[in-house]
């Protein structure tokens, strides 16, 4: 039968497995955090110790173990790095890096914030959440308190005690529900104990965006009694609280906060993309509403959602959902490309566009520093008003026109700088799924940009396809 | 320590050899065979020799071993009886004596090893749902119970609030054994998988990390299938190797 757990009472001043326990910095109903040090680790460390007692359900311990295993699996890129762990049967604890930055927590208190600040804060948060979903992990308790940042600004997600990993046993039980979860960020389906839908985390992103944009929660003062209102009442439109909010941001926020998961963004990376490229947000009725739906709409919502089966909707693993709307980066330099190569490139893009109906494309052209004369104004370039910039954008648009891609699927960007570096940076920042780029033919081009594909292949975080024109190859051999 | 748990080999030596290669690569130190070493397949004597030569091996009785000797034989369909008869002819007296002495169930390092279910193992019931998993857990006092018999890899686990859930394991994904949970683990079949995947299935349990690793290993099933046909055994048993069901 299940093993009896002997609790090791951690005491200040003692040393456990080389970790010196210095001070207790936080105590909750379910665990205690201690500041610790270790002679071999020159970073601030904290030790988390679960509380195990007869009055607490044993599932609290399962939550501790879930968190420990998830942190070990994620290996500390967007989560605290783990430095040690004790035997679960005799001395349950783990030691992780102390992540001090509370940028988002502080920002929420200062809300409403300017749009630029909101985007700056939330693009990396969405990226971190997307990476977590890539590992089939659903957090289910995202809130500003659980999102911190390292000194280099890197976002770190905390508190995986109620998280779900879709490929692993889920030890969550009814007893867990007694743990305090902040109602402000809970998605409607979570009220039905649904734990398998990554779009519950999308709802939480929407709630955080709402708070940053308006200075208040979408459903202020929600508690166990009032929380069910969100099953049929939409939040007050953000622009009704803060008229400075542009329609595109209201569209993004309200899409995240849709009652039914299928109506929300499928992935966090798409939210990051919208926040960084507002012109790509497809505006709907959500962007235009200025007040909450009236009693008739509420009644309609109540009637339809009363019958809606939230529980039966969610068997897709997060990782599978991530692949349904791939973000494709087209890295191109038209000036060095022959007509044949341009056609081959378009063919390759069209094949993906047709096969992946929900794919969306960023066409990126990088103008190298060499093409910039001393007479040009850097400021014009940065402000996207330099004639070369405008000309390049026009050429790209013209080249892409025959593909007839919907406006919401294609974004054209012209940057200035190191071509390979900018392509890789963009792919990292916006969780690009696939890069398509040309192989150039001219020797001149090889000298200046020929090494770009090689570097992109080496450094890109995703698959890279290099398109070559067969005719170019024949011409070269002749 | 890493323990490989194999089951339902069914005289398929090609599948077993592929699994053993994988297990060796994973540094497995002990083997447990949950029975049904023989039946259906073409190499009963050779496979039994190979199984008994494995390091620190523990072997449990399966229903196909039972069919060689007991009344269980009479309840089987004719084509299965035909295979059992043929199998019996291939085995030496010493091998038959060895199989006859196999236990229904054994405790290995605090874990229950049984072919079908810990709930009356001699009845050979199929454990395929949560209720049957609950009965199996009730009949045992160990945290982990390893079973085979259905030829379908599955994990049933009990949460701290005594709720039983089911997980279909994915090959290569390590499944933690939680301190507060109890588990019934179906390791699938080495020699005749029936979950629409024709790769041989087995499990490696890491007792230090407390992690289960479900392994799927592709093998040359066409060779085994040809042997089945060549030896005059029912063609159905050859065909299902390719289909994986």
């Amino acid at each position: 039968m299940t093993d009896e757990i002997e609790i090791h009472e951690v005491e200040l001043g003692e040393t456990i497995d080389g970790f010196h326990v210095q001070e207790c910095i936080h105590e909750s109903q379910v665990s205690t955090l201690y500041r610790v040090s270790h002679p071999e680790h020159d970073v601030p460390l904290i030790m988390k110790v679960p509380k195990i007692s007869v009055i607490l359900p044993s599932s609290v311990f399962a939550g501790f173990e879930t968190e420990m295993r998830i942190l070990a699996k994620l290996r500390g890129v967007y989560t605290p790095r783990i430095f040690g762990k004790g035997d679960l049967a005799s001395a349950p604890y783990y030691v992780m890096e102390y992540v001090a930055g509370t940028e988002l927590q502080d920002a929420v208190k200062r809300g409403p914030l300017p749009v630029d600040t909101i985007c700056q804060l939330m693009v990396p948060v969405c990226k971190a959440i997307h990476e977590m979903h890539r590992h089939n992990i659903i957090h289910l308790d995202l809130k500003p308190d659980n999102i911190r940042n390292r000194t280099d600004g890197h976002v770190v997600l905390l508190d995986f005690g109620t998280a779900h990993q879709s490929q692993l046993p889920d030890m969550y039980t009814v007893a867990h529900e007694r743990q305090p979860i902040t109602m402000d960020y809970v998605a409607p389906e979570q009220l039905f104990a649904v734990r398998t839908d990554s779009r519950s985390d999308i709802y939480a992103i929407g709630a955080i965006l709402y708070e940053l944009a308006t200075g208040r929660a979408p459903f202020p003062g929600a508690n166990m009694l009032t929380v069910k209102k969100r099953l049929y009442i939409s939040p007050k439109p953000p622009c009704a609280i803060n008229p400075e909010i542009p329609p595109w941001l209201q569209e993004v926020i309200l899409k995240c906060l849709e009652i039914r998961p299928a109506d929300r963004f499928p992935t966090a990376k798409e939210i990051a993309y919208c926040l960084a490229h507002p012109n790509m947000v497809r505006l709907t009725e959500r962007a235009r509403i200025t007040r909450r739906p009236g009693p008739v709409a509420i009644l309609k919502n109540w009637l339809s959602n009363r019958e809606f089966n939230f529980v039966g909707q969610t068997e897709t693993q997060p990782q599978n959902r991530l692949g349904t709307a791939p973000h494709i980066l087209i890295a191109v330099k038209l000036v060095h490309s022959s007509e044949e190569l341009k056609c081959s490139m378009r063919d390759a893009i069209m094949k993906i566009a047709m096969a992946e109906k929900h794919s969306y494309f960023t066409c990126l052209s990088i103008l190298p520093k060499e093409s910039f004369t001393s007479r040009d104004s850097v400021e014009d370039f940065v402000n996207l008003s330099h004639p070369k910039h405008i000309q390049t954008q026009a050429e790209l648009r013209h080249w892409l026109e025959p593909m007839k891609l919907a406006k919401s699927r294609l974004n054209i960007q012209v940057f200035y700088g190191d071509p390979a570096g900018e392509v890789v940076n963009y792919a990292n920042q916006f969780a690009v799924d696939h890069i398509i780029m040309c192989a150039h033919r001219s020797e001149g081009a090889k000298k200046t940009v020929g090494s770009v594909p090689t570097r992109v292949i080496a450094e890109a975080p995703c698959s890279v396809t290099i398109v070559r024109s067969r005719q170019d190859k024949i011409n070269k051999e002749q | 320590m890493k323990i490989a748990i194999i089951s339902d080999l069914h005289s398929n030596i090609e599948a077993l050899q592929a699994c053993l290669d994988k297990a060796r690569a994973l540094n497995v130190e002990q083997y447990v065979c949950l029975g049904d070493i023989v039946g259906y397949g073409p190499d009963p004597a050779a496979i039994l020799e190979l199984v008994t030569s494995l390091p620190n091996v523990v072997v449990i009785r399966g229903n196909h071993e039972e069919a060689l000797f007991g009344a269980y034989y009479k309840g089987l369909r004719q084509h299965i009886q035909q295979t059992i008869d043929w199998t019996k002819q291939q085995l030496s007296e010493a091998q038959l004596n060895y199989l006859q002495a196999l236990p229904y169930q054994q405790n290995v390092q605090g874990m229950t090893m049984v072919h079908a279910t810990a709930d009356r193992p001699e009845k050979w019931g199929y454990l395929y749902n949560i209720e049957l998993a609950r009965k199996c857990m009730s009949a045992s006092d160990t945290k982990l119970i390893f079973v085979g018999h259905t030829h379908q890899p599955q994990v049933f686990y009990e949460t701290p609030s005594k709720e039983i859930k089911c997980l279909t394991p994915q090959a290569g994904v390590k499944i933690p054994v939680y301190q507060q949970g109890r588990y019934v683990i179906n390791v699938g079949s080495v020699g005749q998988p029936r979950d629409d995947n024709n790769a041989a299935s087995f499990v490696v349990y890491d007792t230090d990390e407390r992690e289960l690793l479900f392994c799927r290993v592709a093998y040359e099933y066409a060779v085994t299938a040809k042997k089945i046909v060549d030896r005059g055994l029912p063609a159905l048993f050859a065909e299902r190797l390719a289909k994986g069901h």
Side-chain angles (χ1 to χ4, degrees), chain A residues 151-350:
Chain A
T151 46
D152 61 1
H154 209 109
V155 167
V156 173
L157 306 175
L158 303 178
D159 202 352
F160 286 80
T162 54
H164 173 82
Q165 215 283 11
S166 61
Q167 295 164 316
L168 305 184
D170 186 9
M171 286 290 158
Y172 181 89
T173 61
V174 178
H176 263 93
E177 289 172 17
R178 291 182 205 148
Q179 288 186 48
I181 292 178
T182 314
M183 290 298 161
D184 288 343
Y185 311 94
V186 167
E189 63 275 12
Q190 287 180 265
L191 304 176
F192 295 90
V194 170
R195 295 177 41 74
T196 50
D197 198 325
S198 54
R199 293 167 298 190
S200 301
D201 289 342
I202 301 293
Y203 188 93
I205 294 174
I208 297 169
L209 280 170
Y210 192 103
E211 217 170 349
L212 291 168
T214 65
R216 48 165 267 191
F219 296 96
N223 56 43
M224 287 301 280
L225 294 172
T226 61
V227 72
K228 287 207 169 179
K229 272 188 190 169
R230 69 190 61 182
L231 291 173
Y232 49 91
I233 298 180
S234 304
K236 199 171 183 179
C239 73
I241 303 165
N242 176 8
E244 301 292 311
I245 294 169
W248 70 264
L249 183 56
Q250 173 156 305
E251 174 75 35
V252 170
I253 294 172
L254 293 183
K255 189 170 178 180
C256 292
L257 292 172
E258 280 288 349
I259 296 169
R260 297 186 182 190
D263 296 332
R264 297 176 207 148
F265 286 97
T267 62
K269 78 171 178 192
E270 284 164 84
I271 307 170
Y273 187 73
C274 289
L275 293 176
H277 306 95
N279 58 323
M280 296 303 295
V281 178
R282 199 164 63 86
L283 302 183
T284 68
E285 189 57 32
R286 294 184 200 103
R288 290 184 282 274
I289 55 170
T290 53
R291 56 195 179 127
R292 228 177 209 156
V296 176
I298 291 175
L299 181 67
K300 212 171 136 189
N301 260 346
W302 181 76
L303 288 171
S304 67
N305 288 332
R306 194 179 54 153
E307 299 295 324
F308 186 68
N309 178 12
F310 282 95
V311 180
Q313 303 295 313
T314 58
E315 280 311 308
T316 313
Q317 288 192 1
Q319 208 174 52
N320 297 343
R321 190 170 288 122
L322 302 189
T324 58
H327 181 186
I328 316 293
L329 178 60
I330 308 161
V332 64
K333 187 157 176 54
L334 294 179
V335 70
H336 288 298
S337 307
S338 68
E339 284 307 313
E340 289 83 4
L341 182 55
K342 286 179 198 170
C343 282
S344 301
M345 189 77 172
R346 263 201 312 254
D347 285 349
I349 299 163
M350 271 316 283

Side-chain angles (χ1 to χ4, degrees), chain A residues 416-452:
Chain A
Y416 161 76
D418 161 35
E422 291 292 340
V423 168
V424 172
N425 280 349
Y426 190 92
N428 275 317
Q429 196 180 351
F430 294 106
V432 164
D433 297 289
H434 192 162
I435 299 171
I436 306 179
M437 58 194 308
C438 311
H440 296 283
R441 64 164 179 169
S442 77
E443 287 307 308
K446 198 175 272 181
K447 276 180 194 161
T448 53
V449 295
S451 60
V452 172

